[in-house]
């Protein structure tokens, strides 16, 4: 008996990890859809997506329609005679005409525990919101964004050191494993779809650069989350004097560490938010609306990324105690 014919659609590395797992497990991927090559790097050279590179390496047919508004693209999809389509971070909305083609429909691996964090940036929004747990959901695709019935889920804990980058990696592994584990049952229709609870829906809007500046009137814990959630893009920022620095890493001091700092430097306890209250081997200590943030890695304009402690030592006049971030 021949294996069901599967079309895979995805674009970034997150999706490529899922395709890699499917190929390793021996599923019958008959074609791959991905976004067209995009300019990348300083030379703006047209560069294929990670999914396209992987597909070509495995001699799979690759299709790159801008969208499915052209009837010829819909006919091409139908001509492949897929029984199932698997979509992972494709970045192209599938019209109903496409959704209706596979006998078993289209399914999606989404990087959150639906119905929480539907939308474009579920990994980052879960982190920015201080969630302790996230995960992946495999769902049926319907016309409404991320609203299809749930086929299976897998929880993934968020550690205090996780960034959006590390969570991407963890969720790519979790999603790949969950997909490979449950796909045989999905293909045999042994999975009972569960509708999402509309009362629990939240949305994960795209990240914007307007979210980058750190507001030191907020708590150190909130700023810690902001720095980790915005890494590796678009990256948090903080302005001292007339210079805006990119803040790549930071952490909130624990209450015990704050007490020790205030005992050693009593003036630090009453410092205005944004004021530098000291430097350590770890980094630059900045007073917040609540607590203290230790900036550990930063980048000045036109410079490379450096340890904040080293940079502060080289610019003692700029990062003197009492200097204040805007």
């Amino acid at each position: 008996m021949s294996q069901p014919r599967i079309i895979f659609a995805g674009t970034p590395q997150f999706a490529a990890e899922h395709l890699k797992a499917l190929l390793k497990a021996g599923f019958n991927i008959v074609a791959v859809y991905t976004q067209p090559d995009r300019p990348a790097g300083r030379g703006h050279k047209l560069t294929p997506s990670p999914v396209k590179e992987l597909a070509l390496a495995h001699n799979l047919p690759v299709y790159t329609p801008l969208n499915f508004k052209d009837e010829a693209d819909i006919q091409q999809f139908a001509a492949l005679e897929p029984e199932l389509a698997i979509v992972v971070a494709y970045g192209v909305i599938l019209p109903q005409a496409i959704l209706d083609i596979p006998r078993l429909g289209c399914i999606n691996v989404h990087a959150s525990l639906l119905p929480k964090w539907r939308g474009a940036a579920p990994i980052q929004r879960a982190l920015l919101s201080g969630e302790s747990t996230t995960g992946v959901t495999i769902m049926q695709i319907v016309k409404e964004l991320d609203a299809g019935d749930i086929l299976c889920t897998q929880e993934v804990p968020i550690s205090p050191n996780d960034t959006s980058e590390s969570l991407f990696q963890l969720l790519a592994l979790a999603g790949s494993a969950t997909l490979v584990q449950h796909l045989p049952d999905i293909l045999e229709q042994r999975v009972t779809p569960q509708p999402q609870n509309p009362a629990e829906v939240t949305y994960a809007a795209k990240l914007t650069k307007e979210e980058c500046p750190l507001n030191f009137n907020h708590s150190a814990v909130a700023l810690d989350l902001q720095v980790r959630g915005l890494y590796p893009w678009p990256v948090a920022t903080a302005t001292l004097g007339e210079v805006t620095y990119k803040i790549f890493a930071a952490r909130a001091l624990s209450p015990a560490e704050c007490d020790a700092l205030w005992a050693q430097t009593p003036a630090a306890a009453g410092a205005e938010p944004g004021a530098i209250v000291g430097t350590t081997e770890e980094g630059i200590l900045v007073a917040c609306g609540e607590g203290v943030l230790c900036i550990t890695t930063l980048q000045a304009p036109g410079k490379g990324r450096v340890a904040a402690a080293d940079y502060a030592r080289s610019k003692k006049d700029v990062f003197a105690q009492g200097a204040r971030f805007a």
Side-chain angles (χ1 to χ4, degrees), residues 14 18 27 63 71 92 98 113 129 210 214 233 237 256 261 291:
F14 182 84
H18 289 74
F27 289 101
Y63 300 92
E71 183 63 28
V92 175
I98 290 290
L113 296 173
S129 297
E210 285 70 32
L214 297 176
W233 190 91
T237 62
L261 172 64

Side-chain angles (χ1 to χ4, degrees), residues 180-204:
V180 168
Q181 177 186 351
H182 292 279
L183 190 53
D185 286 338
I186 292 172
L187 291 169
E188 292 297 326
Q189 297 181 284
R190 293 192 293 260
V191 177
T192 302
Q194 301 295 324
Q196 297 186 36
N197 183 349
E200 297 177 356
V201 172
T202 58
Y203 289 96

Side-chain angles (χ1 to χ4, degrees), residues 155-168:
E155 290 190 359
V156 173
I158 298 176
S159 82
N161 297 318
D162 271 325
T163 64
S164 290
E165 182 178 62
S166 65
L167 272 184
F168 265 94

